[in-house]
């Protein structure tokens, strides 16, 4: 696993609290390397506080009204604070979501009804407020108008906030943190991670999730240590205790002992030296000892990630996941907003390339703006290209924006979750339609923009010969290819042990795709997390992959590995693994090569 520098929170409280309380270690799945010591912040977004219900006397009514008013004022202040922070970090349009929340707490009809019922029923204010807001939420959720139906969720969010204030337990959200913390939660959705305060969240740990869940991927992009799949650890941890997240070993250590802190202190020095060494490789090519070069690119989720791509020495962006652009907002992005984001990314990375992936909604990334019914199997359902081909007006907005931005000449585009040639043909026909529209309107675009298909569904891999004829390149999405080939839900920690990239079935599929691509004279990359692990990356190079794209933070160690071995060693290793049957034995073979050839490869 790739490793990176260690961190220690700036909080002065940390050492004091660490020396009291008994040390406890929880074991999970390491998903983002490095370790960090800091103060826990328990994030309980999904928990509604238990609401008390009791009778009050007539004489207590004014007091209850005063409590209500104080809670409304506090809630208003919190919402304005969030708005300000989001607007500074992400722009005013993202902050506008909260206007609707302000409208709820300022709604005279709702407030007067609460007071009327309070006076009539003589029950505590929490009980009355919950009852009235539930009634309103229910009415809105039944209205046959998408916009008004959305108000039901605003009422629910605000109700939770007001009740928390009434009961003196205000819950911060992840954009509101004002000090460095390690977030501990049962789960964190990709949209929560998108909202995270980038400077103040220094690590996170969740009870559920697997190594390729989008929350885990986001941790790597943000370059913060993370562990998932900790079962019920979050239930046993309180805010403010000292914890260590070890994203190399997959542990969460609560109340670390003096000895543990000393051990991590020593490791910190070791990792820092290692980091310094890796940093020197930034501008060097990923070239083997015998001169074979491989293209190393980075994956990004947001335009803000581009500086890290450059700082880590990537030669381009092999995957721009555009769906985060749609999150944490009430409306859909306009064509101009899309265009500006893509153009800016392309400009910053120029003359290197960026591969923009058309939107991959569904799976673990849902949007409240779209009226998509809940499905039993979201990963097998109305996801990615399937959704886009059914909602062509929605899809065309993005295609137009990508094409407009392509006039710079360094944009490539690819379709996610292709399962067969029919989808490629339909998407390409739509792209052609959009090109003609733009030409008629006199808007320039790159007529030769390369268009690729992601290979992440076994049916696409096995029909690669057919699909290759309609595209300029393939990008193998191993996160999904493994999920779909091995029937392993990528976000389910209970079966994460079955998620084996070195399984012969996966290696055979990839080899087949590479051989076909090269026969058809197109190039093929891998942009799944498999590309970020040095041992697996060597296997992929040995199978003939032309480009590896992974989280920026993993690139220096990948370069170091590639620069230490020869291509003939890699080919030899890759040939030999096809005689092996056990995924662990196969992985071991590649690790042997690393142990033998990569000097000082850090073993923890
Ligand atoms: C993949 O499936 O490997 C991939 C890169 O796409 P995502 O992780 O966004 O599904
Ligand atoms: Mg995928």
């Amino acid at each position: 696993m790739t490793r990176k520098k260690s961190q220690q929170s700036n909080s002065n409280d940390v050492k004091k609290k660490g020396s009291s309380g008994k040390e406890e270690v929880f074991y999970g799945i390491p998903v983002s390397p490095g370790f960090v010591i800091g103060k826990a912040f328990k994030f309980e977004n999904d928990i509604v506080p238990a609401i008390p219900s009791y009778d009050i006397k007539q004489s207590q009514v004014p007091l209850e009204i005063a409590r209500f008013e104080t809670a409304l004022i506090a809630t208003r202040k919190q919402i304005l604070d969030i708005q300000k922070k989001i607007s500074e970090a992400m722009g005013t349009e993202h902050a506008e979501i909260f206007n609707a929340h302000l409208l709820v707490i300022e709604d005279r009809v709702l407030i007067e009804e609460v007071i009327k019922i309070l006076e009539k029923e003589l029950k505590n204010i929490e009980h009355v407020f919950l009852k009235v807001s539930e009634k309103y939420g229910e009415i809105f959720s039944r209205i046959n108008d998408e916009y008004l139906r959305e108000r039901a969720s605003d009422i629910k969010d605000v109700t939770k906030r007001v009740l928390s204030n009434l009961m003196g337990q205000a819950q911060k959200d992840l954009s509101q943190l004002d000090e460095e913390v390690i977030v501990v939660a049962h789960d964190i959705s990709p949209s929560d991670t998108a909202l995270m305060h980038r400077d103040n969240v220094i690590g996170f740990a969740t009870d559920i999730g697997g190594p390729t869940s989008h929350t885990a991927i986001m941790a790597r992009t943000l370059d913060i240590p993370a562990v998932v799949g900790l079962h019920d650890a979050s239930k046993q941890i309180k805010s403010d205790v000292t914890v260590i997240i070890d994203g190399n070993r997959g542990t969460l250590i609560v109340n670390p002992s003096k000895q543990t802190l000393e051990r991590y202190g020593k490791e910190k020095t070791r990792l820092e030296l290692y980091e310094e060494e890796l940093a020197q490789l930034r501008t060097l090519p990923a070239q083997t000892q015998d001169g074979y070069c491989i293209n190393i690119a980075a994956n990004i989720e947001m335009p803000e990630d581009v500086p890290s791509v450059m700082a880590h020495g990537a030669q381009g962006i092999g995957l721009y996941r555009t769906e985060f652009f749609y999150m944490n907002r009430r409306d859909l992005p306009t064509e101009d907003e899309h265009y500006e984001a893509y153009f800016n990314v392309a400009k910053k990375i120029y003359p290197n390339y960026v591969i923009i992936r058309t939107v991959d909604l569904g799976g673990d990334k849902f949007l409240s703006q779209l009226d998509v019914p809940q499905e039993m199997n979201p990963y097998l359902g109305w996801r990615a290209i399937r959704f886009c081909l059914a909602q062509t007006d929605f899809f065309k907005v993005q295609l137009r924006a990508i094409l407009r931005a392509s006039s710079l000449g360094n944009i490539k585009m690819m379709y996610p979750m292709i399962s067969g040639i029919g989808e490629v043909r339909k998407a390409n026909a739509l792209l052609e339609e959009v090109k003609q529209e733009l030409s008629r309107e006199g808007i320039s675009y790159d007529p030769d923009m390369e268009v690729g298909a992601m290979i992440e569904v076994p049916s696409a891999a096995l029909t690669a010969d057919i699909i290759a004829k309609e595209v300029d390149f393939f990008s193998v999405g191993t996160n999904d290819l493994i999920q779909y080939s091995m029937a392993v839900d990528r976000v389910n920690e209970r079966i994460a042990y079955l998620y084996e990239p070195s399984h012969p079935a996966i290696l055979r599929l990839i080899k087949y795709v590479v051989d076909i691509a090269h026969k058809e004279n197109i190039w093929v990359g891998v942009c799944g997390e498999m590309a970020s692990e040095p041992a697996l990356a060597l296997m992929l190079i040995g199978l003939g992959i032309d480009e590896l794209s992974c989280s920026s933070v993993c690139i220096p160690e990948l370069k170091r590995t590639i620069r230490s071995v020869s291509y003939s060693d890699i080919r030899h290793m890759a040939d030999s693994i096809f005689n092996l049957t056990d995924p662990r034995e196969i992985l071991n073979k590649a690790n042997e090569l690393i142990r033998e050839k990569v000097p000082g490869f850090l073993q923890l």
Side-chain angles (χ1 to χ4, degrees):
M1 164 163 289
T2 314
R3 292 162 192 100
K4 58 176 269 287
K5 63 179 176 285
S6 57
Q7 284 181 50
Q8 178 146 338
S9 163
N10 291 330
S11 166
N12 291 330
D13 285 356
V14 167
K15 280 201 190 102
K16 237 187 321 168
K17 287 198 174 121
S19 51
S20 64
K22 196 167 169 300
E23 175 174 305
E24 238 183 308
V25 183
F26 296 89
Y27 296 89
I29 305 166
V31 294
S32 185
F35 72 86
V36 65
I37 307 174
K39 207 190 219 188
F41 169 73
K42 198 160 160 183
F43 179 56
E44 295 176 293
N45 203 17
D46 51 345
I47 294 177
V48 180
I51 307 303
S53 168
Y54 51 88
D55 296 333
I56 58 163
K57 293 195 191 108
Q58 184 68 46
S59 60
Q60 286 174 296
V61 168
L63 194 70
E64 291 299 277
I65 295 176
R67 284 181 61 220
F68 185 39
E69 278 170 358
T70 310
L72 290 180
I73 292 167
T75 306
R76 186 180 149 76
K77 185 174 174 318
Q78 284 161 0
I79 295 172
L80 288 173
D81 280 354
I82 299 176
Q83 258 193 327
K84 187 162 169 268
K85 284 187 181 146
I86 293 190
S87 151
E88 279 161 10
M90 302 169 77
T92 44
E93 71 278 11
H94 292 273
E96 276 164 15
I97 298 175
F98 292 93
N99 285 345
H101 289 204
L102 287 172
L103 287 180
V104 175
I105 50 164
E106 286 162 1
D107 185 340
R108 289 313 309 169
V109 180
L110 184 137
I111 294 173
E112 274 159 24
E113 181 160 354
V114 170
I115 295 176
K116 215 165 78 195
I117 296 185
L118 175 77
E119 287 165 340
K120 188 164 156 236
E121 294 189 3
L122 294 179
K123 285 277 191 192
N124 61 310
I125 189 70
E126 292 89 344
H127 172 88
V128 175
F129 178 65
L130 180 62
K131 185 171 158 180
V132 175
S133 63
E134 275 180 352
K135 186 182 100 183
Y136 274 69
E138 181 64 29
I139 294 170
F140 277 103
S141 65
R142 276 192 265 115
I143 293 176
N144 199 10
D145 174 298
E146 199 183 320
Y147 178 80
L148 289 175
R149 254 200 325 271
E150 277 294 332
R151 302 286 74 73
S153 72
D154 294 327
I155 293 176
K156 215 164 139 191
D157 279 1
V158 173
T159 302
K160 225 160 69 178
R161 226 175 256 286
V162 173
L163 287 172
S164 295
N165 281 320
L166 274 169
M167 298 187 319
Q169 22 173 281
Q171 168 70 49
K172 286 181 184 170
D173 73 38
L174 296 180
S175 67
Q176 275 181 297
L177 303 166
D178 39 27
E179 61 176 338
E180 286 186 350
V181 291
I182 291 173
V183 175
V184 180
H186 177 65
D187 187 20
I188 308 178
S189 69
S191 57
D192 288 328
T193 48
L195 211 58
M196 265 183 194
H197 192 297
R198 289 181 170 225
D199 292 332
N200 286 343
V201 177
I202 56 172
F204 68 72
T206 60
D207 293 344
I208 65 170
T212 61
S213 62
H214 285 99
T215 301
I217 290 171
M218 194 69 171
R220 284 191 286 275
T221 303
L222 293 175
D223 196 3
I224 55 176
V227 177
V228 302
L230 286 154
H231 308 287
D232 63 350
S234 78
K235 278 200 201 125
Q236 305 180 49
I237 293 171
K238 292 198 172 70
S239 277
D240 291 341
V241 293
T242 298
V243 293
I244 299 178
I245 299 270
D246 186 335
N248 299 322
R249 297 181 182 83
T251 49
L252 167 67
I253 307 173
V254 182
N255 285 319
S257 66
K258 199 163 156 253
Q259 290 87 330
T260 303
L261 287 169
E262 270 168 22
R263 185 158 47 81
Y264 274 94
K266 284 191 194 134
E267 190 161 311
K268 183 169 182 252
T269 318
R270 209 155 57 109
L271 289 179
E272 275 168 2
L273 285 174
Y274 190 62
E275 275 295 313
E276 270 169 37
E277 230 183 276
L278 289 183
Q280 326 222 327
L281 302 175
R282 202 184 77 82
T283 52
L284 299 177
Q287 185 177 23
T288 60
Q289 297 268 312
D290 47 357
Y292 181 83
C293 275
I294 174 101
N295 202 12
I296 305 276
N299 296 348
I300 65 165
E301 272 78 53
M302 299 191 202
E304 294 92 302
D305 303 329
V306 179
S308 170
V309 172
M310 302 199 281
H312 287 94
Q315 286 152 284
I317 296 170
L319 165 64
Y320 175 4
R321 290 185 168 93
T322 54
E323 42 287 352
F324 287 86
F325 195 40
Y326 294 75
M327 291 178 176
N328 297 311
R329 52 187 295 159
R330 169 94 38 232
D331 53 352
L332 292 171
T334 62
E335 182 185 315
D336 282 346
E337 284 177 290
H338 277 286
Y339 165 76
E340 263 166 48
Y342 305 152
F343 186 80
N344 281 334
V345 169
K347 201 163 91 184
K348 278 194 198 139
I349 202 76
Y350 193 86
N352 292 325
Y353 63 92
V354 46
I355 304 180
I356 302 180
R357 174 175 75 185
T358 61
V359 65
D360 181 1
L361 295 171
D364 59 353
K365 287 173 291 194
F366 298 103
L367 285 193
S368 54
Q369 310 93 305
L370 298 168
D371 205 9
V372 179
Q374 279 213 345
E375 296 180 326
M376 288 285 281
N377 294 303
Y379 271 115
L380 298 181
W382 210 28
R383 187 189 160 187
I385 198 70
R386 302 170 178 187
F387 179 84
C388 289
L389 290 177
Q391 305 281 323
T392 48
D393 288 345
F394 164 89
F395 192 28
K396 276 167 83 174
V397 172
Q398 187 179 32
L399 293 180
R400 275 182 66 96
I402 295 174
L403 277 171
R404 280 171 59 196
S406 74
S407 59
L408 270 178
N410 63 336
I411 289 183
K412 307 176 200 284
M413 185 187 89
M414 64 184 177
Y415 307 122
M417 214 192 166
I418 291 295
S419 56
I421 187 64
E423 285 163 336
V424 177
R425 288 193 178 131
K426 278 191 196 142
N428 276 345
L430 214 56
L431 184 70
E432 200 44 51
E433 215 178 290
V434 173
K435 280 184 180 176
Q436 282 170 18
E437 264 174 40
L438 291 176
S439 299
R440 276 198 302 275
E441 292 166 33
I443 298 174
S444 61
Y445 59 88
D446 175 6
D448 301 320
M449 178 178 78
E450 282 186 36
V451 176
M454 285 193 75
I455 302 293
E456 38 188 4
V457 178
S459 59
L462 293 169
T463 52
D465 52 329
I466 305 170
I467 297 173
K469 301 210 165 43
E470 310 275 342
V471 293
D472 301 305
F473 67 93
F474 286 151
S475 184
V476 184
T478 49
N479 303 339
D480 279 316
L481 186 63
I482 298 169
Q483 156 165 270
Y484 295 131
S485 305
M486 303 192 56
V488 184
D489 179 348
R490 60 192 267 193
V491 297
N492 186 335
E493 71 285 358
R494 286 192 198 90
I495 45 161
Y497 70 96
L498 284 173
Y499 195 95
E500 289 181 299
S502 57
H503 194 288
I506 303 302
L507 300 177
R508 286 180 200 183
L509 276 174
I510 296 175
K511 181 158 172 33
Y512 178 74
V513 171
V514 173
D515 291 348
I516 292 287
H518 290 168
K519 198 165 141 223
E520 297 291 335
N521 291 318
I522 63 171
W523 64 270
V524 52
V526 167
C527 62
E529 295 307 299
M530 190 174 171
S532 67
E533 287 279 333
L536 298 170
L538 290 186
M539 272 183 221
L540 292 171
I541 298 170
L543 297 182
I545 286 290
D546 304 296
E547 178 225 49
L548 297 171
S549 190
C550 59
S551 310
S552 302
V553 58
C554 301
I555 291 174
E557 194 164 61
L558 217 47
K559 275 196 185 173
R560 178 188 164 95
T561 308
I562 292 166
R563 291 179 63 81
S564 308
V565 295
S566 70
Y567 187 54
S568 63
D569 285 338
I570 300 178
R571 285 304 298 251
H572 189 251
M573 178 268 292
D575 287 345
S576 71
I577 58 179
F578 282 95
N579 298 323
L580 302 173
T581 51
D582 179 346
R584 273 163 308 177
E585 241 185 304
I586 293 175
L587 186 61
N588 222 355
K589 201 84 191 156
N591 272 321
E592 262 170 33
L593 181 58
I594 291 183
R595 277 194 293 272
E596 193 190 319
K597 301 282 174 167
V598 185
F601 185 78
L602 201 56
Q603 297 294 325
L604 291 174

